[in-house]
Amino acid sequence: MALSELYTEYNRVWIPDAEHVWRSAEILRDFHVGDNVLELLLEDGTHHYPVDPSNTRLPPLRNPDILVGENDLTALSYLHEPAVLHNLKVRFVESRIIYTYCGIILVAVNPYKQLPIYGDAIIHAYSGQNMGDMDPHIFAVAEEAYKQMARNHKNQSIIVSGESGAGKTVSARYTMRYFAVVSKSGSKTKVEDKVLASNPITEAIGNAKTTRNDNSSRFGKYTEISFDKKYQIIGANMRTYLLEKSRVVFQADYERNYHIFYQMCSCAHLPEFKNLRLCDADNFQYTSMGGDITIEGVDDKKDMEETLRTFSLLGLNKDFQSDVFKVLAAILHLGNVEIRNSGDDKSSVPPSDPHLAVFCELLGVRAEGLVRWLCHRRIVLVAETVVKPVPKERAVNARDALAKQIYAHLFDCIINRINTALQAPGKQHAFIGVLDIYGFETFDINSFEQFCINYANEKLQQQFNLHVFKLEQEEYMKEDIPWTLIDFYDNQPVIDLIEAKMGILDLLDEECLFPQGTDQSWLQKLYSYLDANHLFEKPRLSSQAFVVQHFADKVEYQCKGFLEKNRDTLYEELVDILRDSKVIKGRILLQLLFFGYTVDSLWTPYLTVMGKGVKVKPARPRVKPANKQLRTSVGEKFRSSLSLLMETLNATTPHYVRCIKPNDEKLPFEYDSRRVVQQLRACGVLETIRISAQSYPSRWTYIEFYSRYSILMSHQEADLNDKKQTCKNVLQRLIQDTNQYKFGRTKIFFRAGQVAYLEKLRLDRLREACITIQKHVRGWSQRRKYLCMREAAIILQQYIRGKRTIRAAALKQGWAAVMIQRHWRGYRVRQVYQLVRLASITIQAFTRGWMARKQYRKMLKEHKALVLQKYCRAWLARRRFQTMRRLVLNVQLSYRVQQLRKKIEEQVNIFGSFILIIQIVLKNIPGRIAENNTEILREDHEKEMEILKEEIKRLKEERIGLNRKLEEVDQMNSDLQEQVIQLTKHIKIIPELRRDLSSLQNQRNNVDRKMKQHQSFLSLYRHFEEKAEELEEVKRELQSQVEELEEENDHLKRLQQIESEAKSKLRQETSRLTAENMTVTNCLFISQDFEEQLDQKDRLIKKLQTQIKSLETSQKGTDTSASAVPKDYLGMLEYKREDEPRLIQNIILDLKPKGVVVNVIPGLPAYILFMCVRHADYLNDEAKLKSLMNAIIGGVKNVITSHHKDLNLLSFWLSNMYLLLNSLKQYSGEEEFMKQSTPRQKKNCLRNFDLSEHRQILSDLAIHIYHRFITVMEKTLTPTIVPGMLEHESLQGISSMKPTGFRKRSNSIYEDLDTYTISSIIQQLSDFHSTMTQHGMEQGLIRQAVKQLFFLVGAITFNNIMLRKDMCSCRKGMQIRCNISYLEEWLKLKDLQGSNAIDTLKPLSQTAWLLQVNKSTDDDAKEISEKCTELNPVQIVKILNSYTPIDDFEKRVTSSFVRKVQSLLQDREGSTHLMLDTGYRFQVTFPFCPSSQALELLQVPSSLRLDFLTKI
């Protein structure tokens, strides 16, 4: 169909507009060939668009609304500039989507707002996905590059370009972050963190605030990220291009210098910056020129902390950092050096200038030499050398040139040190390069920098055009479609104009060789040599500029400054002064700056030590300083580095990201069409569109075409089984011109406008169908109304026309009938009343009798309860009294023994002092004999002897007192023995109470029961008597133990008596008293041991009582099958210690879960292992038990580790570990686990060991197996979720597919994968459930596993909806709800409703409801805010913005409605994450579930080769 035939009534076109670039208009009348006017309807009235019949150029057609908002611009049916501009606007403003594909280009519009679409969850969602399967994203481009590198083993490049402020730096940063996350190596070197840490440093030294961007990159950067053979990051390398050195010494209004200067000034007060003599930034000339030293929302101090942190993270030591800051501070001080005008073209610098002194101090140079060569210049002639003063202007230029040169060298040095830090010892296998480079620029005043930037973009555009054609050719060849050459714009003439011989750059370098060369003389050469070139023009109104016709636009360049910037001269005298600095000679960094060493030569030893890494390639080729006239110019350097870059890009597979700046005011989600279209023209997007439009831009698979346009097929065509042939037949019938489409192997290729024509045909068919349906419905409705009106009219006519005369006889008969009815009805009512009254009296009598009997029984029960309470409370009171008395006696005993001990200690101390006195006296006796006479000595001796005798007498009396206290202690021991006897007597009270209780029970049974119940009670009473006898035996054992304790006590007393009669002398008396003290202490210990034994006996009595109660309850519920249990077996398996490895090998390591025996009894291994554990406990062999438990745990761990991907084996051992854990609990003897056990199981409880610690270890092992089991199921289920829940059309006849025509990359995966449906998901879930059920897994554990799987299904489906705009439609919501209902039916079928698994799908269910509900009125917004409780505001707004109509009669969600919903949700608290965490795991619990399996009946199959086990 010809394109002109589409200009029919109601279609819309685009016409040019001065304000909005393009404006939409509707066609009022069909256009025919030969018409002179196209009648259009605008918003402000009718417009006549003139048409030239000789050259029919009609305005471009507008795409149907159904095609607007596409993910890929090339999928639009009409490909032209207004369509691209409008599609971007709809996505950006209405849907708040910033990324759009344009063929192989990712267009990124800067939102000027932080969006929640860059988290790790988003990265993992895009990881492993094909490009085009999900919404456009920078992560999709990064994933495509990473995947192609891994699959094709070829290096990749991501080219990020755009204007300043368009978001290039952020986009490049996100790509590197993506690679760091998906290729996480886990190495200790943290290479990924270092790669990301290089960004803050490069931004600090290379980014600055401009009028267009607060963080504008003032240099180009190409970062190579190196990967090893496992495709994990091992290092990186950066190359930089065309640093804007002039910004160091000059900034325009409202702009800033590089960030690092302001960061340093903000930290000038810190100790490490004190020696730099810094102050506020507004005090330095180089940082205050723009007049704006701060950036709103940016804290320079915090940024400086981040810069220092990344310096340290990259391993750049403190000395290096100090050198960097010294050089930067020196540059700031150099800018403040005052140069004065001395007259006669002379200049001077005051010697007392403080900034000059600081500069010389920081760099260690002589101030005199620096001042001299700033203000003078050396001219070398043939015969002599002349030193000539220079005027102030040239001196200032020399100062600024020195500052620029220092900063440029410092920048290069830092970049190279970063490259060194990012190198790793591993060998590079491949790399992905990220190019962050400036886009095409045109300003009011364009200079040398803009010329170089546009030159670079010309080269990149040429490379881009060649790559686009290469991909197109590959696509056509893959689909077996003939390749036809397409005419495209070749910018090679522009490149030749710039870089060829006698081109602009060549003439510029030639002019720079002449000392007297000027910008004007160079411009005249351009006029004379290039005047004939049609791409070069001379401005009409200016003689200081030239115009170059670039691929994007014409650009006028001002020639002023071209020569100076290209020369980039620096006087040798100033460099020589810096070279003579002592400080510079001691610092390797400063040597790099000024001694002419290359970075490669200085760091080669270090690189050799580190191993072979990425070769460091400097951005600027090495300058040869031998001949000043042969120095390389800036243009030549840039051309060389650009050639090297193009070689690198041509050797890699490129991926393109074009960043667009939507407005100049930096307002969030504001769209300026004029600014956007300028950038689209400059970045090559429109050229891509133009190339695509010349061929076959729209491309559909046969399945997509059949699903979308089956409505246009006849019944005969739709019945064909071959859908591919059906599509061909239908298309040949609908479009007769075969040149408008081509059939490929897997796709149909359409020319521009053909998809819109098919959509028109489809819409016409739907409109006809709607009209037909409306016609029949309205006819049926009108017929129904007519029939109702006709019936009503007939009835009215019947009553009106009828002659119904009422006569007197008829009235009398009617009155008589009424009287008869009255009397008859009264009689019937009286009969019913009497019957109801009699029944009520009878019911009341029986009810009152029943209530009286109930009251009597209640009073009788209360009386009996009072009797029982009386006896019980008396017994409890006596027990409490005896306990209190025993405690009081114990306290008294302890207190008295303590007092006795204190007195003994006091006596020992007194006796020790007395012995000291005697020793002193004995020592003084010889001296006294020598000094005094014999009589005096004798008298003194007699007095002393009398004193000693009295002291001895007193000590004997105290000894007697101590003996009495020992007797009191003995009396206390006897009292304690009496208490033991009384406690033994109390045991007899228990059978007495039980006999009383049984007698009361007998009385009640005599009233309520028959004689048979009495006989059963007598048998139970005899059982109680047997238990009482057992208690008597226990009492006798306790009495025997008490007697033994008494004998031991008597023996101790005899020992005490023997020791008390030992010696009589003074020293013997002392030892005796000490022995008595020890005896008292021993008595205290014995009494304490005795008390502990009593407590143990009390606990034993309580335990016996509980056993009596449990036996009584178990006796009543004894199972009849217990009598059939063989008495010969105890449910244990005996094995020898040396057979333990064989047991573990056969029952754990070599056991296969698919065996016949295992299927019959799923928990057989757990039962066998537990029976072996029971036998080890029965033997009281602790070493054997511990060895067996450790072997079991170790064996299961080995099996799980070796088969961590085997679903059947994991399910089998999870079930068995859970069963073994329950068995250990059930047979532990603890009351809480024995409630549902049989008497036989209670009898077989573990006797000797507490295995609670081993139970905890088994529980941890079971948890580990469960998580491994869930992981394997998730990996198996994940590939089926998105195709089954979202992509498959589960509702027959309702197609949710929208015409996209997206063209995947030629290198993307094209193979037809397995098609999954919702049935595939349900079948997979059934297989999991069958496996778990077959292995005997407990239902509670199955419910937890199913709940976790349902959460995974809901989370993955929900996350894909969040990242796929094409899935946000009303019909897709219907299909999702249908699929959820299928899953709910499956839960009912498997009896798993109690798992609450369906609750995990609530976010998905509410999402499906949100896609289906009306979204237009305030009531709709309120309903959405009330019902979507499981979704956070970010998710709700994302769904509303992504809602995509499938047909023209569906409406888009307006921005005002979205704002209404946002206002209603602004107070809602909760998570702000866009995605659900698919890795979230619910906490697993292992509820206790007792087993009814009788261990004594279990047989060990011979197939298990366990003949060394013996049943006990």
Side-chain angles (χ1 to χ4, degrees), residues 946-962:
E946 290 176 358
I947 294 171
L948 289 174
K949 288 178 181 181
E950 291 176 358
E951 186 66 27
I952 290 170
K953 183 178 180 180
R954 187 177 63 80
L955 290 174
K956 287 180 179 180
E957 293 176 355
E958 290 181 356
R959 185 189 65 185
I960 295 170
L962 292 174

Side-chain angles (χ1 to χ4, degrees), residues 751-788:
R751 289 199 182 274
Q754 300 309 308
V755 173
Y757 173 68
L758 292 174
E759 283 296 309
K760 178 179 178 298
L761 295 178
R762 182 177 181 274
L763 187 60
D764 293 341
R765 177 63 62 86
L766 288 175
R767 187 179 290 111
E768 292 175 0
C770 290
I771 293 173
T772 303
I773 294 172
Q774 289 175 354
K775 178 179 68 175
H776 286 83
V777 170
R778 288 170 179 170
W780 172 82
S781 177
Q782 293 298 324
R783 281 192 299 274
R784 185 177 179 185
K785 289 181 181 179
Y786 166 73
L787 292 175
C788 290

Side-chain angles (χ1 to χ4, degrees), residues 88 92 97-102 105-111 118 136-138 141 160-163 165-168 170-171 656-662 676 679-680 683 685:
L88 289 176
F92 183 71
I97 299 174
I98 66 173
Y99 292 113
T100 306
Y101 292 129
C102 180
I105 302 175
L106 175 68
V107 180
V109 185
N110 193 344
Y118 301 104
H137 202 286
I138 187 67
V141 177
V160 185
S161 64
E163 279 193 9
K168 302 186 300 298
V170 176
S171 298
Y656 299 93
V657 179
R658 298 292 191 250
C659 298
I660 303 297
K661 186 177 182 180
V676 172
Q679 298 170 72
L680 291 176
C683 67
V685 172

Side-chain angles (χ1 to χ4, degrees), residues 906-941:
E906 291 175 358
Q907 294 299 327
V908 170
N909 292 334
I910 293 171
F911 191 71
S913 61
F914 181 70
I915 291 174
L916 291 175
I917 293 171
I918 294 175
Q919 291 176 356
I920 293 170
V921 171
L922 292 175
K923 288 180 180 179
N924 295 332
I925 289 175
R928 293 179 182 178
I929 294 174
E931 295 176 359
N932 303 321
N933 52 28
T934 306
E935 294 178 358
I936 295 173
L937 292 174
R938 185 170 60 253
E939 292 175 358
D940 293 338
H941 182 68

Side-chain angles (χ1 to χ4, degrees), residues 1331-1382:
T1331 300
M1332 292 185 284
T1333 306
Q1334 181 182 0
H1335 295 149
M1337 193 176 295
E1338 200 270 331
Q1339 283 296 317
L1341 205 55
I1342 294 178
R1343 292 191 187 99
Q1344 296 182 66
V1346 170
K1347 181 180 179 181
Q1348 187 67 55
L1349 293 177
F1350 268 60
F1351 172 78
L1352 179 72
V1353 171
I1356 291 180
T1357 307
F1358 179 83
N1359 290 346
N1360 271 266
I1361 293 174
M1362 292 294 103
L1363 298 177
R1364 296 183 64 172
K1365 184 173 179 288
D1366 57 319
M1367 294 298 167
C1368 297
S1369 63
C1370 178
R1371 298 183 185 182
K1372 187 60 67 176
M1374 295 172 60
Q1375 292 191 5
I1376 293 172
R1377 296 186 75 173
C1378 177
N1379 293 335
I1380 293 175
S1381 66
Y1382 289 152

